[in-house]
Amino acid sequence: MPATDFDTERTYDDDRFTPRTVFESDRQKVVLGYFEPGQFIPVHAPGSDVAICVRSGRGLVREGDAEHDVEPGDVVVVPADVDRGVRAGEEERLEALLVTSPPPTDAEHVPVREGLKRGVFDP
């Protein structure tokens, strides 16, 4: 079993959020997400459940039509096939643990790549 922590994996990118995959199998994917202020994972609806646990910072998690303001210690779970996205607040960095089951397919991440390319949170 891999062992790591947020401090060891921490990497920020000025252009887009930084996902650090720390574990992946055919049943689960575990990612540490590092967001500069205002950075995001665009809204998309893959066929996997996701649990998002905020470690530090503040931001927003989209779950279908609901938007949850989140802060350290908050956990938001979004079921498969429901729109989801994560956006850091404008004032501080956001760090979050994202656990998906099963891992989204490459095809399911097309809307994420397109949203990042266009700079759009909600396509």
Side-chain angles (χ1 to χ4, degrees), residues 61-118:
V61 174
R62 168 78 60 81
E63 173 203 6
D65 293 331
E67 291 189 342
H68 305 280
D69 291 322
V70 293
E71 60 186 32
D74 287 347
V75 177
V76 178
V77 179
V78 183
D81 303 314
V82 173
D83 282 340
R84 83 244 344 233
V86 179
R87 183 174 58 214
E90 296 297 325
E91 302 298 320
E92 60 188 314
R93 289 175 163 172
L94 175 71
E95 294 183 0
L97 172 72
L98 299 93
V99 180
T100 56
S101 180
T105 66
D106 188 59
E108 289 174 318
H109 270 136
V110 168
V112 173
R113 288 190 295 274
E114 290 176 357
L116 289 170
K117 184 193 288 187
R118 293 188 349 247

Side-chain angles (χ1 to χ4, degrees), residues 34-83:
Y34 300 90
F35 302 77
E36 290 283 7
Q39 290 181 340
F40 55 86
I41 297 172
V43 174
H44 62 298
S48 58
D49 300 324
V50 65
I52 302 162
C53 179
V54 177
R55 179 177 185 265
S56 66
R58 288 178 169 50
L60 176 132
V61 174
R62 168 78 60 81
E63 173 203 6
D65 293 331
E67 291 189 342
H68 305 280
D69 291 322
V70 293
E71 60 186 32
D74 287 347
V75 177
V76 178
V77 179
V78 183
D81 303 314
V82 173
D83 282 340

Side-chain angles (χ1 to χ4, degrees), residues 12-31:
Y12 286 95
D13 184 317
D14 290 338
D15 297 325
R16 58 176 289 240
F17 83 99
T18 304
R20 301 287 295 173
T21 300
V22 295
F23 176 79
E24 186 169 7
S25 72
D26 59 339
R27 297 182 314 265
Q28 181 183 66
K29 184 174 183 178
V30 179
V31 174

